[in-house]
Amino acid sequence: MFRQQGQVPSATPAWGRSIGDAIGWVQTDPMFLVFPGGTLFLATFAFNLLGDGLRDAFDPKTAGAAVQA
């Protein structure tokens, strides 16, 4: 009755599944791996920058602090 609850059906596209399937195609056409991998990287990087920007904008502890290297 509750089998497969919370699992993604195999027909649903996912970047991780695309990357996993592309491992076998690397020798034939590496773009099958580069595009989903690059897209996943860019999406993760964009969310990271968004989170950093929101923290900088709304965190009162760092409101006037300068970035020190």
Side-chain angles (χ1 to χ4, degrees), residues 54-64:
L54 289 173
R55 184 196 60 223
D56 290 344
F58 294 114
D59 189 10
K61 294 178 184 177
T62 61

